Amino acid sequence: MHQTFDAALEINLLHANQTGADHNREHFDEWGITCLNLMSSPGAGKTVLLEKTLAALKDQLKMAVIEGDMTTELDAERLRQYGVPVIAINTGRSCHLDSKMVAGGIHRFKEDYNPKEFDLLLVENVGNLVCPAEFEVGEHAKVALLSITEGEDKPLKYPIMFQEADCLIITKLDLAPYLEIDLKRLEANVRSMNPDVKIIALSAQTGEGLEEWLNWLKSQVNIPRFLNC
């Protein structure tokens, strides 16, 4: 059976993107930087989680951020207040960052800083539950966020995001008393998509569960990265 034109085009795009992602990862491994790709729907809490993370770890780890957004640098400006390099990338009409966009951000980062002095690069992807999961950017691990306000069925409706995640953060835990949400069912739906994913439930507002996230993140930084020669 012959592939349709659209299917063949999608495969070519993903292949080209993967080649770029592999190249980005080679740079990260050479420099000794761990890269995490944070993904979620709009409003799930990526930026506020990054704010809490930068505030808690800025004296322990040398960190930088690539901030993806369709327009504006509003989130980038919020993160710059924590004294870390923040490279803003506006994607225009594109609903995700791709490896080429991130390569451009890496080039800008190299112009102003010595990458070998950094431990961690956090990529905040564009708010979308579909496209970001399919386009790698060179990350060592994918972190998906899911707000409890989004409902228990999201992992079933958007399976690729949850199948690809290495760590799932359930956010806005402080709102649970005000919602009809079954957290055990939510976690079970996630496990049905990805049995081995690390699940952390937290509230960025109250701090509940935040320490577990920070410990997991630091464990990723401590994993040796080797450049295959």
Side-chain angles (χ1 to χ4, degrees):
M1 179 182 294
H2 294 292
Q3 292 177 329
T4 65
F5 174 78
D6 288 344
L9 179 60
E10 180 180 5
I11 291 172
N12 288 338
L13 286 173
L14 290 174
H15 177 74
N17 182 80
Q18 187 61 54
T19 299
D22 293 342
H23 185 66
N24 290 345
R25 191 178 299 109
E26 287 176 0
H27 283 306
F28 298 145
D29 290 346
E30 179 184 359
W31 299 328
I33 295 178
T34 297
C35 178
L36 301 183
N37 185 3
L38 276 67
M39 305 174 292
S40 77
S41 61
K46 295 188 299 299
T47 307
V48 70
L49 180 63
L50 282 177
E51 288 181 308
K52 299 296 183 180
T53 300
L54 296 178
L57 299 181
K58 63 181 181 180
D59 294 330
Q60 301 178 44
L61 298 173
K62 187 80 168 178
M63 297 177 286
V65 178
I66 289 180
E67 174 63 43
D69 222 330
M70 294 182 75
T71 60
T72 82
E73 292 193 17
L74 295 175
D75 290 346
E77 290 297 335
R78 285 171 57 182
L79 299 178
R80 287 180 181 128
Q81 297 180 42
Y82 295 89
V84 303
V86 180
I87 308 298
I89 299 177
N90 288 143
T91 63
R93 302 175 77 174
S94 179
C95 59
H96 63 275
L97 290 171
D98 62 24
S99 61
K100 186 175 182 180
M101 295 176 192
V102 170
I106 294 171
H107 180 73
R108 288 160 55 190
F109 178 55
K110 285 170 54 182
E111 288 181 343
D112 296 326
Y113 303 93
N114 179 0
K116 293 184 178 181
E117 295 179 353
F118 286 78
D119 305 301
L120 178 64
L121 176 65
L122 296 161
V123 177
E124 181 175 356
N125 219 308
V126 178
N128 189 296
L129 274 180
V130 182
C131 302
E134 294 191 280
F135 286 81
E136 289 197 14
V137 298
E139 69 273 16
H140 294 105
K142 293 181 174 69
V143 179
L145 280 70
L146 178 65
S147 165
I148 62 170
T149 60
E150 296 178 75
E152 302 151 0
D153 58 356
K154 281 297 184 294
L156 306 179
K157 290 183 175 181
Y158 301 91
I160 295 177
M161 174 67 70
F162 300 94
Q163 290 166 352
E164 292 292 323
D166 298 287
C167 180
L168 173 72
I169 309 296
I170 299 174
T171 64
K172 305 186 182 182
L173 195 58
D174 53 296
L175 298 180
Y178 310 103
L179 301 171
E180 293 183 3
I181 182 78
D182 186 336
L183 288 174
K184 289 185 178 180
R185 179 177 296 177
L186 173 58
E187 290 194 17
N189 287 342
V190 172
R191 294 285 183 207
S192 71
M193 297 293 104
N194 187 343
D196 300 321
V197 67
K198 171 72 173 178
I199 299 178
I200 301 171
L202 59 77
S203 166
Q205 295 300 320
T206 67
E208 181 181 359
L210 191 62
E211 193 66 25
E212 185 178 2
W213 154 247
L214 296 175
N215 287 336
W216 181 86
L217 187 153
K218 287 187 287 187
S219 76
Q220 297 302 299
V221 174
N222 290 332
I223 295 174
R225 311 290 182 188
F226 298 101
L227 179 63
N228 295 321
C229 300

